[in-house]
Amino acid sequence: MAVAIIGAGPGGLTLARTLRVHGIDAVVYEREASRAARAQGGMLDLHRESGQRALREAGLEAEFLAVARGEGQDMRLLEPDGTLLLQEDTPDDAPLERPEVDRADLRNILLDSLPEQAVQWGRDFRSATAWPGGGHRIRFADGSTAECDLLVGADGAYSRVRPLLTDARPVHIGRNTVEGVIPDLDRTHPELAAALGRGTYWVLGPDQSLATQRNGDGRVRVYLSFHTGEGWLTDAGGPFADPDPDRVRAALLELFADWAPQCAALIRACEGPFVPRPIATLPIGLTWDAVPGVTLLGDAAHLMAPAGLGANTAMLDAAELALRLASAAVGGNGDGRVEAAVRAYEEEMFVRAAEAAREAQRMTELLMSPEGARGLLKFFQPER
């Protein structure tokens, strides 16, 4: 069974590693030129029942625990005027239900667990042609090809594998996020560092939010979310029309002009460039008819609103698919066992992903509701 995985994100790499644990080789094709081609972004909170379970199935729990940040489970929730509504500090001996991990650290753990030839860099997937007897021939942007029995699209929101299964495409939900980075907050702005604490810092107002996350290397990422059309990020006359971070910073300060001084201070402390992230989702409950020799996982299959569930669901997808394939491989594929295993995975994934997407939608509505921080406080403390 030759398995080709498109995309070296958490889901694709977890699948490759878990298959290898069960004696099945797979090749991951990634369009980036190398593992160091770009920064991997901020933090992930890996949930015990999903992301952490996937790492256990991959035999990487010890490596994860060595870099997991239990203090990342801390939380502070504030109103736009600076009123602190909730502070949760994690005891040192608390169970690691949802510890934070740097995306780069997680990716390195997964990459280091694979042989060098298992990940082929600079392979930009463009198309796949089905063979009459099953399997696919894959074509890449540089003209090269590869062949596989099973093609797995783990290539994210705008997957090029997805059209082999469904015409569904992501749709902008009317919300945008802009990300900024403060390189060394503890040294350069100690007063802000003390206010943020060790974990997530949330300031929620009507239809707007500011959140920060600490990376393990001392950087702090600032996420500013608001309801505007996608054009606010893409229009020729908008703040992102040129690369000048000062122009973007000024536009963000205007959007959050009525908020507490520490919010403006965080925006001013961010170094450019600011990264625009229009928020789009696939339809909740998306399914497709079985197509022999191809399937999807993660954002390629069920892109959902960002609420801490996407990467966890992708990694659980990978573990479940690997376990299904490992069981099928024991008996060979003469009787269609692999196709049946893939379909069984898909049918379970459809249900699991729809539930996660609905939860993500509910959380997003809370984070961007007219009630602001007090709406989220009711979620955490319903008796109040």
Side-chain angles (χ1 to χ4, degrees), residues 47 75 77 85-86 88 98 202 204 307 309 358-369 371-384:
H47 302 179
M75 185 188 68
L77 174 64
L85 295 182
L86 181 64
E88 294 184 345
R98 297 187 174 189
W202 266 335
L204 305 182
L309 294 169
R358 283 190 288 269
E359 183 179 345
Q361 183 182 54
R362 288 194 295 269
M363 182 59 68
T364 299
E365 289 170 352
L366 277 173
L367 293 173
M368 301 295 292
S369 77
E371 289 186 273
R374 293 195 177 273
L376 189 60
L377 183 65
K378 292 177 185 176
F379 174 81
F380 287 120
Q381 298 181 343
E383 71 281 0
R384 291 186 57 171

Side-chain angles (χ1 to χ4, degrees), residues 172-201:
H172 187 253
I173 64 172
R175 175 188 169 197
N176 295 310
T177 295
V178 175
E179 176 186 336
V181 176
I182 306 173
D184 190 358
L185 185 73
D186 290 298
R187 182 182 61 83
T188 58
H189 299 83
E191 71 292 346
L192 285 177
L196 298 187
R198 305 181 303 175
T200 300
Y201 178 86

Side-chain angles (χ1 to χ4, degrees), residues 232-292:
W232 195 89
L233 301 178
T234 58
D235 284 350
F240 287 92
D242 60 59
D244 180 9
D246 289 337
R247 183 180 179 193
V248 178
R249 186 180 291 105
L252 294 171
L253 286 168
E254 183 176 351
L255 278 175
F256 291 83
D258 297 332
W259 286 36
Q262 63 261 36
C263 297
L266 285 166
I267 297 172
R268 292 192 184 95
C270 289
E271 294 189 359
F274 290 89
V275 180
R277 301 192 185 280
I279 306 302
T281 64
L282 286 168
I284 295 176
L286 175 66
T287 64
W288 53 80
D289 294 332
V291 175

Side-chain angles (χ1 to χ4, degrees), residues 17-78:
R17 165 63 185 182
T18 312
L19 286 173
R20 186 169 182 80
V21 166
H22 292 276
I24 301 172
D25 289 335
V27 179
V28 181
Y29 297 98
E30 170 56 51
R31 67 182 177 182
E32 291 178 3
S34 72
R35 68 193 292 172
R38 68 174 179 88
Q40 292 304 303
M43 308 292 292
L44 293 171
D45 58 323
L46 287 196
H47 302 179
R48 183 182 293 275
E49 70 281 3
S50 50
Q52 291 185 55
R53 183 198 156 196
L55 290 175
R56 289 193 294 273
E57 296 289 355
L60 297 172
E61 184 176 27
E63 289 83 350
F64 165 70
L65 292 176
V67 298
R69 296 178 55 245
E71 71 275 12
Q73 299 174 107
D74 289 5
M75 185 188 68
R76 296 183 183 185
L77 174 64
L78 298 89

Side-chain angles (χ1 to χ4, degrees), residues 124-253:
D124 188 359
F125 173 86
R126 289 306 172 92
S127 65
T129 303
W131 296 337
H136 287 79
R137 171 167 290 167
I138 306 167
R139 290 179 173 79
F140 300 96
D142 61 4
S144 62
T145 62
E147 298 177 349
C148 65
D149 299 308
L150 176 63
L151 172 62
V152 182
D155 50 339
Y158 295 94
S159 168
R160 290 176 177 163
V161 180
R162 188 191 298 126
L164 297 174
L165 295 165
T166 173
D167 293 332
R169 291 187 57 80
V171 175
H172 187 253
I173 64 172
R175 175 188 169 197
N176 295 310
T177 295
V178 175
E179 176 186 336
V181 176
I182 306 173
D184 190 358
L185 185 73
D186 290 298
R187 182 182 61 83
T188 58
H189 299 83
E191 71 292 346
L192 285 177
L196 298 187
R198 305 181 303 175
T200 300
Y201 178 86
W202 266 335
V203 188
L204 305 182
D207 303 320
Q208 290 180 250
S209 70
L210 180 152
T212 70
Q213 274 189 335
R214 284 183 176 271
N215 277 50
D217 61 2
R219 282 180 293 181
V220 169
R221 294 181 184 272
V222 180
Y223 301 94
L224 300 143
S225 298
F226 40 87
H227 286 303
T228 62
E230 190 174 4
W232 195 89
L233 301 178
T234 58
D235 284 350
F240 287 92
D242 60 59
D244 180 9
D246 289 337
R247 183 180 179 193
V248 178
R249 186 180 291 105
L252 294 171
L253 286 168

